[in-house]
Amino acid sequence: MHLHILGICGTFMGGLALIARAAGHKVTGCDAGVYPPMSTQLSEQGIALIEGFGAEQLALKPDLYVIGNVVSRGNPLMEAILESGARYVSGPQWLGDNILPGAHVLAVAGTHGKTTTSSMLAWVLEAAGMAPNFLIGGVAQDLHVSARYDPARRPFVIEADEYDTAFFDKRSKFVHYRPRTAVLNNLEYDHADIFPDLAAIETQFHHLVRTIPGSGRIVRPARSDALDRVIARGCWSDTVTFGPDGAWQATAPDADGAFGVRRGGVDAGTVRWNLTGEHNRMNALAALAAAEHAGVPVEQGIAALTRFAGVKRRMELRGTVTGIKVYDDFAHHPTAIATTLEGLRRQVGPARILAVLEPRSNTMKLGTMAARLPDALADADLVFCFGAQGGKHALGWNPAEVLAPLGDRASSYDDIGALVDAVAGAARPGDQVLVMSNGGFGGIHGKLLDALQARG
């Protein structure tokens, strides 16, 4: 079957393209405004891209159009598809109907940490010799790609997003996945562009809970009022808790970041790695508990995590120039920004942290959580905020006003060049430059490294 994928460079749809091809289908796709790592991965895998959404792509005559949620009414190709009466389906539904039946689906949901936890879980199963299939919203350095599929393999790890499925299906993506093991990593308000309040997201999470069989497992933090409310609406599966007061706990890390794992009050071993932050220790506990449900003993899982190298765009060191380190991180929600900075602060001690932020997600552009940014950025010594004034990424609020409580520590820019000059001019040897965005940010990482190199 020939599938033509609209929005193929999104992390989910790009991974779906790899899976569809592995399942024996011919795959083509189109997108606009592409950026790494997905565009690079598709190119490396030999999947050619068509730039843009021109209606002339109807001439490809695929058997089925697979529609990503980046596509909306008014998109010229989508309008042509509708007028022609051609067959189309959402990406999550195609996956749920054609790939996941019969698999042991291990779904990782939550407001934060989905990509990292999914990558940890897939790596633990990989290290255990299970060679799992997976579809993850990022590229784990150990796994090399964001998606893999072999129909002979039963475990399937999937990042389970609560964002809506498509313009014609407003249910959360994860209701299509029917997991046997589900990690509900955390839950707070996000996606203000599609959910009016936290209660609406809780409803979607309960729709997911309803699909888990009685022999399944739900892995969740012991302390979460929102998830308490979700479970109170009905739960038919075994539930395992992690974190403070949970069945799975992490001890305080030592100076090198190593931490102990306790399961049911019994010491199970020590994870020795270079990842930072309490959030990553919680991600690790969730991955271990989920992997155990798939048959991996906790001791084996701990040994695997000790070799876990991390995920691209999650505290990824992009380069060091004259003693100045430049990191790339996907953080964009205030909670993720705060926990990422906390982890870096614990790692570098009194060294200066220069936070470079692009509030690019739909929620952040709306300004729904803008007031939380000053507190979220408290661990940064200097803050540089970029806010586009026009185009689809334009902010609906004034960064200078929002960040005013930070005083002289914060500055805002609407030009990437001026921002790069300011950061490069302020940085000095020993500084840690942390760039946070859920988009390409105009290739700022390379521009910063070039500017620092030119400065000498």
Side-chain angles (χ1 to χ4, degrees):
M1 178 178 285
H2 177 190
L3 308 180
H4 189 59
I5 300 177
L6 280 66
I8 195 171
C9 285
T11 51
F12 174 84
M13 298 301 284
L16 185 146
L18 300 180
I19 287 171
R21 195 179 67 168
H25 300 288
K26 176 183 177 182
V27 179
T28 57
C30 63
D31 212 327
V34 304
Y35 56 86
M38 191 52 63
S39 59
T40 303
Q41 181 178 208
L42 288 169
S43 176
E44 289 173 348
Q45 297 297 315
I47 296 178
L49 309 178
I50 298 174
E51 179 72 25
F53 295 95
E56 70 277 1
Q57 293 175 49
L58 278 183
L60 294 171
K61 298 186 182 300
D63 299 292
L64 183 68
Y65 292 93
V66 184
I67 313 299
N69 70 357
V70 69
V71 175
S72 58
R73 288 301 305 265
N75 177 292
L77 178 53
M78 192 68 236
E79 293 299 315
I81 291 168
L82 293 172
E83 289 292 345
S84 72
R87 294 178 60 214
Y88 66 90
V89 68
S90 72
Q93 183 173 345
W94 182 86
L95 190 74
D97 289 347
N98 295 278
I99 300 297
L100 299 181
H104 179 155
V105 177
L106 300 99
V108 179
T111 309
H112 314 292
K114 292 185 291 293
T115 299
T116 301
T117 306
S118 299
S119 299
M120 289 179 182
L121 177 54
W123 171 243
V124 168
L125 299 182
E126 177 82 359
M130 301 177 74
N133 297 318
F134 54 84
L135 175 51
I136 301 170
V139 181
Q141 298 186 55
D142 306 282
L143 300 169
H144 308 298
V145 292
S146 67
R148 184 173 72 191
Y149 181 63
D150 177 349
R153 302 293 182 177
R154 188 164 182 262
F156 196 116
V157 177
I158 187 165
E159 181 173 330
D161 191 0
E162 73 272 22
Y163 208 81
D164 61 1
T165 296
F167 76 86
F168 51 88
D169 182 352
K170 307 314 284 184
R171 294 172 295 172
S172 289
K173 292 178 183 176
F174 55 41
V175 302
H176 294 282
Y177 301 157
R178 298 185 290 275
R180 183 165 295 276
T181 307
V183 175
L184 312 182
N185 218 14
N186 41 63
L187 179 53
E188 61 177 300
Y189 187 52
D190 197 5
H191 306 310
D193 53 322
I194 60 171
F195 294 116
D197 50 33
L198 179 57
I201 307 177
E202 290 173 7
T203 295
Q204 294 296 321
F205 269 70
H206 194 248
H207 290 167
L208 175 64
V209 168
R210 290 174 182 172
T211 67
I212 303 167
S215 60
R217 171 178 288 188
I218 294 172
V219 179
R220 54 151 298 187
R223 296 180 185 175
S224 171
D225 291 343
L227 289 173
D228 286 346
R229 291 190 293 269
V230 170
I231 298 300
R233 296 169 75 165
C235 183
W236 299 267
S237 312
D238 175 46
T239 301
V240 173
T241 57
F242 65 89
D245 301 326
W248 293 72
Q249 298 185 3
T251 64
D254 64 19
D256 295 322
F259 66 94
V261 174
R262 293 178 60 81
R263 179 186 178 283
V266 177
D267 291 334
T270 301
V271 175
R272 304 184 186 280
W273 61 7
N274 59 5
L275 274 66
T276 62
E278 176 72 6
H279 59 299
N280 275 323
R281 291 187 286 278
M282 295 303 100
N283 294 340
L285 293 179
L288 291 170
E292 182 191 55
H293 191 235
V296 181
V298 59
E299 296 82 6
Q300 195 171 359
I302 289 170
L305 287 182
T306 294
R307 305 192 303 277
F308 182 69
V311 181
K312 289 184 180 295
R313 304 209 67 204
R314 271 65 176 181
M315 283 305 297
E316 180 184 1
L317 180 62
R318 295 290 296 269
T320 303
V321 177
T322 62
I324 301 166
K325 294 184 176 180
V326 177
Y327 295 91
D328 181 17
D329 196 89
F330 199 73
H332 52 280
H333 186 285
T335 298
I337 291 167
T339 54
T340 299
L341 280 165
E342 178 272 331
L344 182 58
R345 174 59 67 200
R346 181 184 289 273
Q347 181 182 31
V348 303
R352 291 202 317 167
I353 297 175
L354 281 59
V356 184
L357 174 67
E358 181 190 31
R360 185 180 180 275
S361 72
N362 289 333
T363 298
M364 292 306 296
K365 285 188 296 183
L366 288 170
T368 308
M369 299 182 185
R372 293 176 54 187
L373 283 175
D375 287 343
L377 292 159
D379 270 321
D381 295 279
L382 294 175
V383 174
F384 303 83
C385 184
F386 176 76
Q389 297 301 299
K392 67 178 182 178
H393 297 309
L395 291 183
W397 47 278
N398 188 328
E401 293 178 359
V402 168
L403 299 178
L406 297 177
D408 293 341
R409 292 165 52 203
S411 54
S412 60
Y413 305 83
D414 60 8
D415 178 80
I416 290 286
L419 173 62
V420 169
D421 290 344
V423 177
R428 59 192 190 216
D431 284 353
Q432 317 288 311
V433 180
L434 174 59
V435 179
M436 294 177 283
S437 171
N438 70 331
F441 205 162
I444 191 172
H445 317 88
K447 293 174 181 177
L448 268 174
L449 291 167
D450 289 344
L452 292 169
Q453 190 70 52
R455 187 192 70 173

